[in-house]
Structures are given as C-alpha cells and as structure tokens.
Amino acid sequence: MKKALILLLAFAMLLTVAACGSKTESGNAAPAPSSGSDTSTQTSSGEPADKKPERTKIRVEVFDRGTDGGKTDPTNNYWTDWIKAKVLEDENIEVEFVAVSRWEETDMLNNLMASGTAPDVCYTYSGDLISLYRDQGGLTNLVPYMDLMKDLDVLLGEDTSLPGRRLIERNRVLETGEIHSIPARRMNVAGANTFIRKDWLDKLGLPIPNTRQEWTDALRAFKNNADKLGVDVIPFTMTPDIRWRAGNLIDSFIDPNISPKDRWINTVVDRNFLLPGVKEGYRYLNMMYLEGLIDPEFYLYKDDVKNEELIKAGRIGSFIHNWDQAFRNSPSLLDGLRENVPDGEYVACDPFENAAGKKYKMKYNAAGLYVFVPATSKVPEAAVRYINWLAKPEVYRFLQFGEEGKNHQIVNGLPATIPATGPTIQNSLNNIDYTLNMNGIWLGDEETTAKAIANGYTCDPKYIIEAMRCAMNDAEAGLVVPVTLSAAGPYTEDLRVKGEEGTCNAVRAPEGQFDAIWDAFIADWRASGADEIIAERAAKYVDPF
C-alpha cells in the first residue's frame, strides 16, 4: 500500500493546536494554552460554570516506563508542563504528577493506598485490585460527581459489551448503585501479535509462517543457521509473564468447544491456566526450551528492557507482544534494529491455528484501564474535574498528536508522525499515560482509523496494516458479566507471583518432569485462592445477554 493514504481531509481540522511557545518550569518549550477553552461545567454545589472554582491542588499518578530510548522524566517534561499550564487556566487546578513504575505497579499502588498517600487521581489495569480497594473502603464513590463528567460520558459512549448501558457506568456495583472507578475506552481493541525476522526468512529461503509447525521450523532454522545469519541467534524470547508473552501460541491449544461461560468462570486474575488445553500449550513451550529455541535467561527478566536490547542488537528471531510492539515509535524496536542491522526487518505473522481451524487470539473489550479517586483524597471534586477535563477534544488531541511540525505533519488530511528526539518525545504511544480516559485514536470507522493509525508510525504503513489484520483475524473479546466480584482481591498479587514462578518452572522443566512440575504448580495455585475465586464466579454468573 502506498504511503500516501487518501483519507478524510476533515481530520486536519481536528488537529489545529496552538503553536506559540512559552518557557516552562522544566525548561522545555511548550505551547502556551489557548484562552478560549470550554469550561461549561457546573460544580456539585450548583455554582454557575462561568465562575471558576477556588484554586485547588491535586496529585496525579503517571506511569514511569524508564528512560530507555530517550524517554523523559514522566513527572516533569514538555507534556506535563503543558497540562499544568492549561488545566490551571481552564479549571483553576494545580497538578503535581507522582511516578509509579509500570513494572511494579501493584506493589507501589498497594503501598501508597496503605499509607494514605496515594495521589488524588490513580489508575490501574487490574480490575481485581480495584475490587480489593473497593471492599476495603479505599475508593471514593463517584456517583455524586457524575454531573461533572459530561465530557467523559460523551467520549466513552455506549458500552458495546453490555447493550443499553453507558461505558462510564460499566463498574457500577449492582447491590448499592455506587461507582468507584471509571474505565478508559480502548479505541483500538487489537491484542497481541507474533513478530518474526523476515530478513532471516528471506536469507534462508523460508516463507512467512502460516502454521504452528512452520513457525517452529523457522525458529529451528534460525538456530541451526546462526553462522549464515552472522549473529548469536536467540530464536524466541519472552519474559516471566509467559501467559502474555507467549499468549497467542498458548491460546491455540485451548479447547475451542469451551463455552464462554466456562471460560469466564475458570479464568482467574486474568490467567487461563485452568482452561482445558492450556497445559499442552506450556508443554509445547517446554519442548521448545529443551531444544534451545527459547532465550535461556527469559525467567530472569523482570521487565521488557533486556528483551528490547536483544531485539535491537539483532539477535531475536521471533517474539510475541502488543499488536504493534515492533513498530511503535517508543521504544522504536524496528528503528533500533536497523541502526545495527540496516536490512533488518520484523513483520507480523499469524501462524497459530486451534483444533477448530481458527486462529483464535485475544482482543480487548472497550474498557481499558480503571481510573479512580482514593477515599483519602481531600479534593475529590477537583480530581473528578481533572478527569473530565482530559476528555475535552482540544486537550486529548494535543496530548496525542502534539504540535504540527514538531510531532506530526499533515499528509492527505491525516497526522503523520515525526520522530521526536528531544523534549517532545512521548514516553508512551499517543501519550496514553497522560490521556487516561482513552487508549488510541478514533476516526469514526475501523477502516479509516486503521489507516490513520498506520500513518502514525515512522515505518511504512504496510507493516501496521498487516499487523492489524493479523491481530484481529479470528480474535475474540472476553465475556463481560455485569456482577460485583470480591474474592480475588486479597489473592491477586500472590497468584500473579505464583503464576509467573510456576509457569517459568514448568517451561524450564528437565526432560520427563514437566507433568510433575505443572501439576504441583496447579495444585498450589488452586489452594492459594484460585478455587475460592472460581466458586464466587460460578455462584454469581449471570447471562449478560
């Protein structure tokens, strides 16, 4: 597909942003906020919208993703300076950002919540963590503030998984009517992809794999032809979070006849270890490990940093990750690879077919992370006003696309990303760590949005279009059951840790010992809270349709 994509010219109108600069506290030149911002809200005390509330200071969580690839201090940079200046002008709110490690999110949030020092605006991807905090009385009931979130309601729209409901109300407690968290909206629901070195395939005369066997054979060819490839080859890499970093492969072993109900009941803290067929997926990984096809040190990696270093160094043949991970502008894996291997090339492939002949894989439902206000916040109204302010188009469009000429240029009516190398670098794709309420862009329909997404990367759009196709082929979202669950909360972190340890041990099991190691892991997993969680899910299950 040509790089020039003939699309909706009207989108250019959506990206008109202020271009004048003012010096800010971090020393980064950020554009001065425009003075005509819409503040047509009403305070809970009924004050008219044209009278700004008293100046209030709030603290806001932001993920710290490290500094690899030129990332900046997440609490003090070009983007935080712009937010601070504009929300002060628009809402009379002072903002202080508080960093929480993306890789130690649960532990850090637990410590902040337990000590009563959590920021006024927090977020997490863990629904079970939200349940735990809710049941401990740690979250603010947001129902009294719903009138202050009208912009957010418009942005989130209808709940596509629960017809007849608004997404802003997804997490309402049925028994009390209270709402303790608001989901972000995923504009793009693609899940994970399998990436493979196409330049290596070409050198060895191999096709892009279309079956599990072809993919495995390609990894074997990489290993056996390291001399020809000119590098110390690692055929496949992952991290201890195997259920994610090998998820597409493992999911292809799940019994396709399992009902959505049984899948939902037996999925524990987002782990599918107990589903029929999953054990065989891990057995396959054990076979690969014993053959030397898997990075022998994968179990030591606590985050993605080492994986990214190996990928950029040109040593990795294949990996599984977010649907666009190889092509994201941050951490620039493809660009980093080509700095060391000029003709290096990763492409997405879709090789894992299940017993029904489908290439089943996970896709997300519309609800993403959970945004909440801790009960310890002394300024919940200001926190809610900030959350709603982020849902205003002039705010999230600037945070996503930045300044024309610095972060993007308009190509055929759509923003084309310009690689940022200085203060304007985005630590996360489309600044999702700051926009909070949304993950991804949306232009009204899937085809146009996919083309716009493709235009937002520094690589040729053909890579993105094919990656989207692979990720969405035969993909299914998990069932959303509108019930209030509590059992998982106290067990979540322990089950996460035991899940990583148990699956790592099983994959690394010596020959002939896989079954014993896996079965012992599952017995301990069930006794450590999983059975209690399953019992609650079975008892509370209702047909969402």
Side-chain angles (χ1 to χ4, degrees):
M1 182 172 289
K2 297 181 179 178
K3 190 173 182 68
L5 299 170
I6 309 302
L7 299 168
L8 297 178
L9 297 176
F11 186 70
M13 299 173 60
L14 304 180
L15 298 170
T16 303
V17 295
C20 54
S22 60
K23 205 68 174 178
T24 57
E25 62 189 72
S26 69
N28 303 323
S34 60
S35 59
S37 303
D38 176 17
T39 58
S40 56
T41 61
Q42 185 180 52
T43 69
S44 61
S45 59
E47 293 181 351
D50 58 357
K51 181 180 179 181
K52 288 185 179 180
E54 182 179 349
R55 180 175 291 196
T56 309
K57 182 175 181 179
I58 65 172
R59 299 165 68 242
V60 177
E61 175 189 351
V62 61
F63 278 150
D64 183 353
R65 298 177 183 268
T67 57
D68 181 58
K71 295 187 181 77
T72 59
D73 179 351
T75 68
N76 184 28
N77 58 51
Y78 172 92
W79 304 103
T80 59
D81 288 342
W82 186 86
I83 290 172
K84 290 175 183 179
K86 184 153 179 62
V87 76
L88 182 61
E89 176 186 316
D90 291 356
E91 298 285 343
N92 217 16
I93 294 174
E94 295 181 39
V95 172
E96 174 190 350
F97 287 96
V98 178
V100 170
S101 170
R102 178 66 182 95
W103 319 116
E104 301 174 34
E105 168 200 353
T106 299
D107 286 343
M108 292 189 69
L109 270 181
N110 283 340
N111 290 336
L112 289 167
M113 292 290 287
S115 64
T117 59
D120 301 289
V121 177
C122 293
Y123 56 89
T124 178
Y125 281 99
S126 174
D128 293 317
L129 207 57
I130 291 291
S131 297
L132 175 64
Y133 298 156
R134 178 200 66 216
D135 293 345
Q136 292 176 339
L139 303 182
T140 298
N141 176 21
L142 300 176
V143 170
Y145 306 100
M146 295 301 286
D147 285 347
L148 296 176
M149 292 189 281
K150 293 179 179 178
D151 295 288
L152 180 57
D153 184 33
V154 171
L155 175 66
L156 298 183
E158 295 288 335
D159 191 335
T160 55
S161 296
L162 297 171
R165 292 176 56 164
R166 305 292 291 175
L167 187 58
I168 198 171
E169 298 180 344
R170 162 73 72 88
N171 301 327
R172 185 184 294 276
V173 179
L174 297 181
E175 293 81 358
T176 66
E178 295 182 347
I179 297 174
H180 300 96
S181 64
I182 304 294
R185 180 183 173 191
R186 291 187 184 274
M187 305 302 179
N188 173 10
V189 296
N193 258 330
T194 305
F195 300 96
I196 195 164
R197 283 285 295 272
K198 185 175 184 299
D199 55 312
W200 286 2
L201 294 172
D202 292 343
K203 285 181 181 179
L204 300 178
L206 298 172
I208 295 174
N210 193 46
T211 67
R212 185 193 302 149
Q213 190 62 53
E214 288 180 358
W215 178 77
T216 308
D217 287 344
L219 299 191
R220 290 176 176 135
F222 294 163
K223 176 178 180 289
N224 296 331
N225 290 276
D227 290 344
K228 186 174 182 179
L229 298 175
V231 69
D232 184 11
V233 169
I234 298 175
F236 180 73
T237 194
M238 56 186 183
T239 69
D241 191 11
I242 301 171
R243 55 98 204 188
W244 170 243
R245 293 299 305 276
N248 285 8
L249 169 63
I250 295 166
D251 286 354
S252 69
F253 286 88
I254 296 174
D255 181 356
N257 296 315
I258 186 173
S259 69
K261 174 183 176 180
D262 287 341
R263 181 187 290 269
W264 183 85
I265 288 173
N266 292 286
T267 298
V268 177
V269 294
D270 295 326
R271 273 71 177 164
N272 61 8
F273 305 143
L274 303 180
L275 300 187
V278 165
K279 179 180 178 180
E280 298 312 305
Y282 282 92
R283 188 192 303 278
Y284 197 86
L285 286 168
N286 174 242
M287 176 272 292
M288 290 174 56
Y289 183 83
L290 294 176
E291 282 193 34
L293 301 181
I294 295 178
D295 186 342
E297 297 185 343
F298 80 90
Y299 65 99
L300 299 175
Y301 306 149
K302 300 306 179 185
D303 51 37
D304 284 348
V305 173
K306 186 63 177 180
N307 275 192
E308 292 171 4
E309 291 175 356
L310 293 169
I311 290 168
K312 292 178 181 180
R315 296 182 59 193
I316 303 301
S318 183
F319 66 96
I320 296 171
H321 212 309
N322 294 311
W323 76 274
D324 60 344
Q325 191 74 18
F327 314 117
R328 288 185 175 186
N329 302 323
S330 174
S332 304
L333 297 181
L334 183 60
D335 291 342
L337 170 65
R338 286 178 172 169
E339 289 179 6
N340 298 299
V341 186
D343 63 346
E345 183 179 14
Y346 278 108
V347 295
C349 60
D350 191 17
F352 304 127
E353 195 171 75
N354 67 13
K358 296 288 188 179
K359 295 188 174 180
Y360 167 81
K361 60 186 72 67
M362 176 275 295
K363 71 176 180 180
Y364 296 104
N365 69 64
L369 58 73
Y370 302 87
V371 183
F372 64 94
V373 178
T376 52
S377 174
K378 295 180 172 56
V379 286
E381 182 173 307
V384 169
R385 284 171 38 227
Y386 176 79
I387 295 168
N388 183 74
W389 174 81
L390 289 171
K392 293 178 180 294
E394 68 269 22
V395 174
Y396 66 72
R397 286 173 191 149
F398 180 79
L399 290 175
Q400 290 183 330
F401 299 110
E403 292 183 74
E404 184 176 353
K406 283 189 176 181
N407 295 96
H408 72 273
Q409 57 187 348
I410 300 299
V411 177
N412 296 316
L414 291 172
T417 297
I418 299 173
T421 56
T424 60
I425 193 171
Q426 294 182 338
N427 292 346
S428 56
L429 184 66
N430 300 127
N431 266 334
I432 59 174
D433 295 343
Y434 296 117
T435 58
L436 300 193
N437 298 318
M438 59 191 305
N439 187 334
I441 62 174
W442 179 250
L443 297 181
D445 65 81
E446 291 185 2
E447 181 179 359
T448 303
T449 299
K451 293 177 181 179
I453 290 171
N455 214 30
Y457 295 76
T458 56
C459 62
D460 191 310
K462 70 180 182 180
Y463 292 106
I464 309 303
I465 293 170
E466 178 61 10
M468 177 70 79
R469 186 197 68 78
C470 289
M472 295 300 289
N473 181 38
D474 290 337
E476 296 180 15
L479 195 65
V480 175
V481 179
V483 296
T484 303
L485 301 172
S486 300
Y491 302 115
T492 299
E493 182 60 10
D494 187 42
L495 289 173
R496 182 193 68 80
V497 172
K498 287 190 174 186
E500 289 190 359
E501 292 177 351
T503 53
C504 283
N505 290 338
V507 170
R508 297 171 60 238
E511 189 164 357
Q513 296 184 33
F514 172 82
D515 284 299
I517 291 174
W518 177 268
D519 293 347
F521 153 57
I522 292 299
D524 181 58
W525 167 268
R526 299 186 74 116
S528 298
D531 279 345
E532 185 177 335
I533 294 168
I534 290 170
E536 181 193 40
R537 294 170 78 87
K540 291 190 174 182
Y541 177 83
V542 295
D543 187 342
F545 304 108

